[in-house]
């Protein structure tokens, strides 16, 4: 059994990582879907009110509320599959939930990219309403998610994937992480191929200050 969790700011590439997992036959539980369903249940617009409802769930039911709602779905997938990916962890408290439940079978992957690159991706995908349409700008979303404890969760990652190159390169890196988890090997042991140079262990990542500027 293995459980992979992904953490990362909006536009970092979590959704694409989930797509790679599905293509490999690994089921995905998206924590954002828990929030979107709750938003719909409350009669609100998920494209505009997603963040408000996510915050309300945590305030009403505790900071681990969304992770705890995800656990039964993860356990259900594991009845028929060797592994599962949980997409969209946003706090150290949520990491605690999965580590306590799955122990050494849980691997946390932080997916990271500079602000400028992420902003372009968010605009291109057109899934969420922007400020002009009553939604949140990326800076506000970053601030909200950091308020949940995103930085703490990212700092605790077992593996850091820098998603700054081509889509093909990123997909290759994620595939290697998924394969290592399935094989039960350490994905940060330095045994990856040279094509995965952007997959770093978290200790190396701590030595580099993150940038919020666009890549040239």
């Amino acid at each position: 059994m293995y459980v992979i969790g992904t953490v990362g700011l909006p536009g970092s590439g979590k959704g694409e990582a989930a797509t790679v997992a599905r293509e490999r036959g690994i089921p995905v539980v998206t924590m954002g879907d828990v929030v979107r369903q709750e938003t719909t249940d409350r009669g609100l617009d998920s494209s505009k009110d997603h963040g408000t409802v996510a915050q309300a769930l945590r305030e009403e039911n505790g900071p681990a509320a969304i992770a705890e709602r995800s656990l039964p779905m993860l356990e259900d997938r594991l009845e028929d599959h060797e592994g599962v990916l949980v997409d969209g962890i946003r706090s150290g408290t949520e990491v605690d939930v999965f580590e306590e439940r799955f122990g050494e079978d849980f691997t946390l992957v932080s997916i990271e990219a500079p602000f400028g690159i992420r902003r372009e991706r968010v605009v291109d995908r057109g899934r969420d309403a922007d400020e002009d349409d009553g939604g949140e700008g990326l800076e506000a979303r970053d601030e909200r998610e950091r308020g949940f404890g995103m930085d703490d969760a990212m700092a605790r990652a077992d593996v850091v994937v820098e998603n700054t190159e081509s889509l093909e390169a990123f997909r290759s890196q994620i595939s290697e992480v998924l394969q290592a988890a399935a094989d039960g090997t350490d994905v940060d042991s330095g045994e990856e191929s040279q094509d995965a140079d952007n997959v770093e262990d978290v200790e190396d990542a701590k030595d580099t200050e993150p940038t919020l500027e666009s890549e040239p």
Side-chain angles (χ1 to χ4, degrees):
M1 179 184 73
Y2 63 93
V3 178
I4 298 169
T6 58
V7 58
L9 290 164
S12 58
K14 300 186 301 297
E16 188 62 32
T19 296
V20 174
R22 292 188 183 98
E23 291 173 354
R24 294 174 62 93
I26 301 170
V28 175
V29 170
T30 302
M31 294 178 67
D33 286 346
V34 173
V35 179
R36 277 183 276 275
Q37 183 60 53
E38 180 69 19
T39 304
T40 300
D41 292 345
R42 296 187 183 204
L44 301 173
D45 185 341
S46 62
S47 70
K48 297 179 181 179
D49 301 311
H50 182 95
T52 301
V53 173
Q55 187 165 350
L57 277 171
R58 291 178 171 93
E59 290 175 350
E60 294 166 6
N61 302 294
I66 299 172
E68 290 171 348
R69 288 193 183 197
S70 301
L71 278 179
M73 292 184 283
L74 290 169
E75 292 167 345
D76 178 68
R77 306 303 191 278
L78 287 169
E79 289 184 3
D80 299 312
H81 296 83
E82 180 184 0
V84 63
L85 183 144
V86 54
D87 170 31
I89 294 169
R90 285 174 168 78
S91 72
T93 299
E94 293 177 343
V95 174
D96 290 339
V97 170
F98 299 121
E99 286 186 342
E100 288 172 7
R101 171 61 183 84
F102 300 110
E104 294 183 357
D105 293 323
F106 178 71
T107 300
L108 182 63
V109 180
S110 179
I111 302 174
E112 305 179 7
F115 181 85
I117 291 177
R118 294 189 293 107
R119 178 170 54 195
E120 291 177 6
R121 291 173 182 158
V122 169
V123 170
D124 288 345
R125 73 189 183 189
R127 188 183 71 189
D128 303 311
D130 60 20
E131 291 174 292
D132 294 336
D133 296 321
E136 287 181 293
L138 186 58
E139 289 183 354
R141 292 180 64 189
D142 282 1
E143 182 177 356
R144 170 171 54 80
E145 299 213 352
R146 285 192 158 110
F148 292 147
M150 176 75 76
D151 290 334
D152 178 29
M154 292 172 71
R156 291 173 59 180
D158 301 296
V159 182
V160 175
V161 177
E162 295 286 351
N163 183 13
T164 58
E165 304 299 330
S166 68
L167 177 61
E168 292 75 13
F170 175 66
R171 288 173 60 87
S172 177
Q173 294 167 31
I174 294 299
S175 290
E176 293 200 13
V177 170
L178 296 174
Q179 187 61 54
D183 293 342
T185 59
D186 292 335
V187 294
D188 59 345
S189 63
E191 296 175 356
E192 303 85 37
S193 70
Q194 292 182 354
D195 290 336
D197 287 340
N198 285 327
V199 181
E200 305 171 353
D201 64 48
V202 69
E203 293 304 321
D204 290 340
K206 289 178 181 177
D207 295 333
T208 305
E209 289 296 327
T211 177
L212 295 183
E213 299 178 355
S214 299
E215 293 290 317

